[in-house]
């Protein structure tokens, strides 16, 4: 997976997780450049990425369910999508800087543009204008993630 990019987010969402203290001893704390109040998200999946990259195991427990408040209007959802993509792109660059796994750059410079191109074509053909506005927010967030990373690129 190193050449393709490890899909660490498939471990689950960090909205409800339990982590053994030993995991932090093994790979360090959450990267403070990521998450709410910073890049916007991905502090959880970047942490899992480090665990996996160091040869450890993450376990997803599908029977655990937590309900969270979700955005009910398009403006706050656009804001959330911007920050999600900014955090995701920042995390890809952090992971590459730390491990030199080229799959992170492949996700950023190949997979992400292909994703956006296909979604814009689909949205344009289907006339989903509000959907395209969410994509634009995410695209701006992706560019902002690159800028955020270079402004904050020191490794903790």
């Amino acid at each position: 997976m190193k050449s393709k990019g490890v899909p660490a987010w498939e471990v689950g969402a960090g909205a409800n997780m339990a982590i053994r203290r030993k995991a932090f001893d093994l790979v360090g704390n959450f990267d403070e450049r990521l998450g709410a109040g910073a890049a916007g998200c991905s502090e959880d999946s970047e942490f899992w990425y480090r665990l996996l990259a160091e040869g450890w195991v993450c376990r997803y427990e599908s029977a655990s369910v937590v309900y969270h408040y979700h955005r009910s209007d398009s403006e706050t959802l656009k804001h959330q999508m911007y920050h999600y993509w900014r955090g995701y792109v920042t995390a890809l660059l952090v992971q590459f800087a730390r491990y030199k796994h080229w799959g992170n750059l492949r996700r950023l410079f190949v997979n992400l543009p292909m994703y956006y191109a296909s979604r814009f074509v689909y949205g344009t053909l289907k006339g989903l204008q509000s959907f395209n506005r969410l994509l634009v927010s995410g695209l701006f967030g992706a560019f902002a993630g690159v800028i955020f990373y270079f402004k904050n690129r020191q490794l903790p």
Side-chain angles (χ1 to χ4, degrees):
M1 293 300 299
K2 291 177 188 178
S3 64
K4 295 179 183 179
V6 177
W9 59 87
E10 289 183 7
V11 172
N16 182 38
M17 62 184 170
I19 301 172
R20 295 176 191 248
R21 174 70 223 167
K22 183 175 181 164
F24 292 104
D25 295 338
L26 293 170
V27 299
N29 294 325
F30 290 111
D31 191 319
E32 293 181 9
R33 295 172 292 178
L34 305 171
C41 77
S42 294
E43 73 278 19
D44 48 5
S45 57
E46 189 277 331
F47 180 79
W48 300 325
Y49 187 97
R50 278 185 277 143
L51 285 169
L52 295 169
E54 298 293 334
W56 301 101
V57 175
C58 296
R59 179 174 178 212
Y60 173 70
E61 179 53 62
S62 62
S64 296
V65 177
V66 173
Y67 294 97
H68 290 274
Y69 168 80
H70 289 279
R71 308 303 179 254
S72 60
D73 63 271
S74 63
E75 284 307 309
T76 55
L77 183 56
K78 283 184 350 187
H79 181 77
Q80 182 179 13
M81 294 308 295
Y82 171 89
H83 285 92
Y84 276 2
W85 282 103
R86 185 173 81 168
Y88 173 65
V89 166
T90 303
L92 288 174
L93 293 167
V94 165
Q95 291 160 188
F96 177 75
R98 189 172 272 134
Y99 291 103
K100 302 297 185 255
H101 294 163
W102 288 94
N104 291 297
L105 296 185
R106 178 182 173 164
R107 283 195 181 274
L108 179 57
F109 295 114
V110 176
N111 298 43
L112 191 60
M114 287 175 49
Y115 167 79
Y116 270 103
S118 68
R119 299 314 297 166
F120 275 121
V121 168
Y122 175 80
T124 301
L125 293 175
K126 295 294 184 181
L128 303 172
Q129 293 175 352
S130 62
F131 181 71
N132 280 344
R133 285 193 288 275
L134 287 178
L135 284 174
V136 170
S137 292
L139 185 59
F140 284 144
F143 283 114
V146 173
I147 294 166
F148 185 90
Y149 170 77
F150 282 107
K151 285 184 177 178
N152 300 280
R153 67 177 161 209
Q154 78 287 348
L155 284 175

